[in-house]
Amino acid sequence: MNPFKEILAATIAEKLENHSPKEIFELIETPPNSDMGDYAFPCFRLAKVFRKAPQAIASELAKNVQLPEPFKKAEAAGGYLNFYFNRGKLAEIILNKVLQEKEYYGSSDEGNDQVVCIDFSAPNIAKPFHVGHLRSTVIGSSLYKIYSHMGYECVGINHLGDWGTQFGKVIVAYKNWGSEERIKEEPIQGLLDLYVKFHEESEKNPALEDEARDWFVRMEKGDEEALALWKWFSNETINELQKIYKLLDVHFDHYTGESFYNDKMEPVLKDLKEKNLLQESEGAILIDLEPYGMPPCLVQKKDGSTLYATRDITAAIYRKKTFDFSKCLYLTDYSQNLHFEQWFKVIELMGYDWAQNLEHVPFGRVTHEGRRIQSRKGTVVLLEEVIHGAIEKVSEIIEEKNPELDNKEETAIAVGVGAVIFNDLSHNRIKDISFSWDTAFSFDGETGPYVQYTHARAGSVLRKAAIELENWKPVINGAYLEDEVSNQVIRQMEIFGDAVRDAMKKNEPSILTRHVVDLAQTFNRFYHDHPILVENIELRETRLALVMSVKEVLKLGLSLLGIKAPERM
Ligand code: ARG
């Protein structure tokens, strides 16, 4: 929690009966501009308790509170008690803290090593890996880092769609129109082509659908030929997926896809039955959810095959047993809202109180230049295409602007991938985004490359100052950082940890992208207004310390979003 707000809360609580520092903490606000104070405590709620006007309470508190450093004054105004920092003192505290804590700055142990499972990415084998999966991948990966920063132990799980009726379709298509070389050469695209072909052909010849269903039933029954094809398709795809994850620098602790639960569903179905939750309907087995205003949750089809929901129920029970999570997050687009609501309810009906710790984190759809991305017809933007397109675009820009740069290729990857991730994470997650080649890679405005560039610019200032960064102990005199812009930079670093926590509380990385953009913009104003390499050693070192701190915080913020910060670009 913000240490300065904590200090204030404790100070105020001392003067009030029956109010804990925690309650006070929750009430403290940040005024819209710094003329009205750096923090403010509204006294309106206390008016009833104390039977006094808010303004009177604020005035009395202003007289009585004993303000500790780095605060300098408290003033009552319009029912608020406004607090002002001693700007210089605050600057010294923040800069020293950032330079000392570096990548741990703003971290916390509040997670207390509790386990958070994060189920993300989860593309479907033999179906396209499209920009919708990119959203799940980058939001999930960022949340993984954010929760870890807050002291949680994260378990990243890729619940691959590696089981299901699509395999029946692809097997039929492979046998009729496929070739081994094609799959080996380009497994994801090759399987997708077969999938698309199947749908084209089955429109003309509906009997293919039955054939596909048969193949899937054979898979479920353990048929050797069917399983060998399935295994081969899966392995080829996972190998190729791992290349994409490597490029994105995304990491999973477990690749336990849907097929992992094949032998674990029977006991769960038995348990459901013993708990009297199952009903039969035209040969299929389901759980009635009508009392909860939802359609039934189907767990077994009439041909005996299981479903997506059956595997999710089983997986949740397995994860609870294996990891004893305090929370399990699921990242998919909002079209799956009902699916999650249904089976979360089933877990609850099974009597598991941890049902309340399952949380669907939905996000908006991605349209491609105005059109819905559709897998069946093949109008997809393959993730790889997006990433490689971005890298190519960045390479061209580097060639044009900075052809002498070392590590051109590495930088192009970091910036291209960073642009894609940042673009995705800068939208409020629940909003639909329209993906367009032009805006995704724009280097102006509130983009990843802009923040990366600001970081590199800070690095170049430090290089020009030619200081031994490793053991540098700058002389910091906060009195030099009391002007408006310097103070804003300091304040933004002060609340960095709050932004991380807020992003975690709302499962909303866009709060963090917003914050790093603000910090980058304010820093660029500082850089524009203040010469850094000045004669006065104390002033110079103080400003350099600010530059170095901003560089650390930008790098840390980017890394929590899953984005690299190249030293030069
Ligand atoms: N494979 C699914 C899809 O692409 C997402 C899986 C999400 N995770 C889960 N446990 N259901 O739509």
Side-chain angles (χ1 to χ4, degrees):
M1 276 189 273
N2 182 305
F4 303 105
K5 269 164 81 173
E6 270 185 331
I7 295 177
L8 285 183
T11 314
I12 300 169
E14 239 171 62
K15 301 291 167 203
L16 295 175
E17 277 162 43
N18 306 326
H19 287 82
S20 70
K22 201 166 174 292
E23 280 168 82
I24 307 275
F25 182 94
E26 299 302 332
L27 293 174
I28 295 177
E29 297 172 8
T30 303
N33 70 62
S34 59
D35 295 345
M36 297 154 84
D38 294 314
Y39 285 114
F41 177 62
C43 298
F44 308 98
R45 292 220 199 152
L46 303 181
K48 249 203 187 134
V49 189
F50 293 107
R51 293 165 189 274
K52 267 189 206 163
Q55 177 59 27
I57 300 172
S59 302
E60 209 167 296
L61 279 172
K63 254 184 271 151
N64 293 336
V65 288
Q66 249 124 46
L67 278 182
E69 282 201 332
F71 290 98
K72 77 169 182 221
K73 66 172 178 185
E75 251 172 29
Y80 283 92
L81 181 59
N82 295 334
F83 295 93
Y84 295 81
F85 276 122
N86 173 333
R87 291 181 169 186
K89 277 273 164 325
L90 178 71
E92 285 168 17
I93 294 174
I94 297 296
L95 297 184
N96 282 313
K97 207 167 157 63
V98 174
L99 295 179
Q100 195 187 339
E101 296 179 353
K102 298 206 163 86
E103 71 267 34
Y104 299 104
Y105 181 68
S107 67
S108 155
D109 53 11
E110 67 189 61
N112 209 0
D113 292 329
Q114 290 178 85
V115 174
V116 176
C117 289
I118 307 181
D119 176 314
F120 68 109
S121 193
N124 304 312
I125 293 179
K127 284 191 190 175
F129 190 169
H130 53 63
V131 270
H133 290 116
L134 172 68
R135 297 214 75 188
S136 177
T137 307
V138 301
I139 298 172
S141 173
S142 172
L143 290 178
Y144 188 109
K145 293 176 165 130
I146 289 173
Y147 274 89
S148 302
H149 204 61
M150 289 290 125
Y152 289 87
E153 186 190 325
C154 294
V155 180
I157 303 171
N158 198 337
H159 190 75
L160 290 166
D162 63 355
W163 199 255
T165 47
Q166 80 264 29
F167 281 96
K169 297 175 184 176
V170 174
I171 292 175
V172 171
Y174 178 72
K175 289 188 152 280
N176 284 308
W177 314 287
S179 82
E180 193 177 332
E181 299 83 74
R182 178 80 186 108
I183 303 295
K184 282 207 167 126
E185 196 181 82
E186 258 193 311
I188 296 181
Q189 188 61 43
L191 289 171
L192 174 61
D193 291 347
L194 288 178
Y195 184 73
V196 172
K197 177 86 174 160
F198 178 88
H199 284 279
E200 281 165 14
E201 295 294 327
S202 66
E203 260 169 42
K204 292 178 256 166
N205 176 8
L208 289 172
E209 292 281 357
D210 295 328
E211 252 183 73
R213 253 189 299 276
D214 284 349
W215 273 106
F216 182 57
V217 173
R218 280 173 70 175
M219 270 169 63
E220 290 230 309
K221 296 224 161 95
D223 175 272
E224 231 170 83
E225 186 189 356
L227 284 183
L229 281 168
W230 161 77
K231 192 85 223 149
W232 177 53
F233 292 157
S234 299
N235 287 344
E236 294 283 344
T237 305
I238 291 171
N239 283 342
E240 193 164 314
L241 281 178
Q242 279 175 334
K243 287 187 212 152
I244 302 178
Y245 292 135
K246 195 162 169 227
L247 209 54
L248 287 171
D249 201 15
V250 165
H251 158 86
F252 296 94
D253 298 298
H254 301 280
Y255 278 84
T256 36
E258 295 188 38
S259 70
F260 179 76
Y261 303 98
N262 281 346
D263 61 353
K264 300 175 181 62
M265 284 182 281
E266 211 176 281
V268 173
L269 287 169
K270 206 170 140 228
D271 192 21
L272 280 162
K273 189 166 178 189
E274 276 162 14
K275 289 175 173 158
N276 271 327
L277 291 166
L278 298 184
Q279 283 183 10
E280 227 190 280
S281 165
E282 295 169 30
I285 298 179
L286 52 80
I287 297 141
D288 176 31
L289 296 175
E290 207 181 330
Y292 313 99
M294 289 185 272
C297 179
L298 201 60
V299 289
Q300 195 175 320
K301 291 196 215 165
K302 65 169 184 275
D303 63 13
S305 58
T306 55
L307 292 104
Y308 184 41
T310 329
R311 293 188 277 278
D312 260 333
I313 294 166
T314 307
I317 293 170
Y318 171 85
R319 289 174 193 172
K320 183 66 195 173
K321 261 197 212 127
T322 312
F323 307 113
D324 194 24
F325 56 75
S326 65
K327 209 184 220 197
C328 184
L329 305 179
Y330 295 84
L331 286 114
T332 78
D333 78 42
Y334 57 64
S335 68
Q336 298 194 31
N337 283 0
L338 178 62
H339 164 74
F340 284 99
E341 248 178 87
Q342 284 176 302
W343 76 258
F344 288 178
K345 187 50 124 187
V346 172
I347 296 281
E348 187 191 315
L349 293 173
M350 291 177 89
Y352 295 124
D353 58 357
W354 48 265
Q356 60 192 4
N357 304 327
L358 302 170
E359 198 175 328
H360 182 216
V361 181
F363 51 80
R365 292 285 191 80
V366 187
T367 55
H368 179 219
E369 258 127 40
R371 273 169 295 138
R372 257 274 310 281
I373 288 169
Q374 285 225 339
S375 58
R376 298 220 171 145
K377 301 266 154 62
T379 35
V380 289
V381 181
L382 277 176
L383 186 57
E384 248 188 312
E385 211 179 292
V386 176
I387 296 170
H388 288 299
I391 295 172
E392 237 167 75
K393 234 175 156 135
V394 174
S395 298
E396 281 165 25
I397 297 176
I398 291 177
E399 232 23 91
E400 190 190 303
K401 292 201 167 154
N402 195 358
E404 305 299 311
L405 186 72
D406 292 339
N407 303 329
K408 269 191 250 185
E409 205 186 314
E410 208 181 298
T411 310
I413 294 176
V415 178
V417 169
V420 172
I421 297 179
F422 202 94
N423 173 67
D424 194 303
L425 294 182
S426 55
H427 298 82
N428 188 315
R429 76 173 146 76
I430 205 68
K431 282 207 186 128
D432 286 338
I433 38 184
S434 174
F435 181 85
S436 114
W437 283 97
D438 291 334
T439 50
F441 311 120
S442 162
F443 280 54
D444 310 311
E446 304 175 358
T447 64
Y450 171 74
V451 178
Q452 286 173 319
Y453 183 72
T454 307
H455 167 269
R457 166 183 268 180
S460 118
V461 174
L462 295 173
R463 277 194 300 278
K464 270 195 207 121
I467 32 182
E468 277 280 350
L469 294 181
E470 284 302 312
N471 309 307
W472 187 49
K473 290 262 174 311
V475 187
I476 301 172
N477 182 349
Y480 287 122
L481 299 175
E482 292 186 351
D483 65 283
E484 201 53 40
V485 179
S486 307
N487 179 246
Q488 270 175 27
V489 178
I490 297 290
R491 284 300 309 278
Q492 253 147 15
M493 291 195 279
E494 183 235 327
I495 57 171
F496 176 78
D498 299 351
V500 180
R501 177 176 308 96
D502 206 21
M504 178 188 83
K505 287 252 146 82
K506 300 182 175 129
N507 294 316
E508 184 66 83
S510 67
I511 292 171
L512 193 54
T513 47
R514 180 74 259 155
H515 191 77
V516 285
V517 164
D518 285 347
L519 177 59
Q521 285 175 339
T522 318
F523 172 73
N524 281 323
R525 237 174 290 138
F526 166 86
Y527 180 80
H528 179 266
D529 290 358
H530 298 297
I532 292 161
L533 302 178
V534 292
E535 292 280 313
N536 175 343
I537 298 270
E538 208 175 76
L539 176 60
R540 175 189 171 109
E541 293 223 338
T542 300
R543 286 194 177 146
L544 279 170
L546 180 136
V547 174
M548 193 162 173
S549 301
V550 169
K551 181 172 181 283
E552 287 293 344
V553 176
L554 287 178
K555 183 174 176 175
L556 169 60
L558 287 171
S559 94
L560 294 177
L561 296 165
I563 300 174
K564 295 211 172 87
E567 283 303 314
R568 297 162 202 256
M569 51 187 282

